[in-house]
Amino acid sequence: MARNDRRPVVTLRSSAGTGHSYVTRKNRLNDPDRLVLRKFDPAAGRHVPYREVR
């Protein structure tokens, strides 16, 4: 993928409070708000919402 301002790298932090995070890219034109994805947290041992941090 080309690195540009339309698809910046964002960090997703676990809402379970474990401190685990994922790194991904998002399209700023389609998703201008903060991204929330449900992903697996290995520290919590279950799927939890991951929210974008800035």
Side-chain angles (χ1 to χ4, degrees), residues 1-10 24-30:
M1 267 190 275
R3 306 219 186 266
N4 59 25
D5 292 334
R6 288 189 185 209
R7 294 194 66 88
V9 174
V10 296
T24 188
R25 299 179 154 276
K26 77 169 191 175
N27 188 332
R28 221 179 244 162
L29 297 178
N30 294 341

Side-chain angles (χ1 to χ4, degrees), residues 11-26:
T11 302
L12 302 174
R13 182 79 29 102
S14 173
S15 63
T18 59
H20 187 261
S21 62
Y22 284 99
V23 176
T24 188
R25 299 179 154 276
K26 77 169 191 175

Side-chain angles (χ1 to χ4, degrees), residues 17-48:
T18 59
H20 187 261
S21 62
Y22 284 99
V23 176
T24 188
R25 299 179 154 276
K26 77 169 191 175
N27 188 332
R28 221 179 244 162
L29 297 178
N30 294 341
D31 298 314
D33 299 329
R34 290 191 183 190
L35 192 60
V36 177
L37 296 176
R38 184 173 152 87
K39 298 186 71 71
F40 185 76
D41 186 344
R46 58 191 169 94
H47 284 82
V48 296

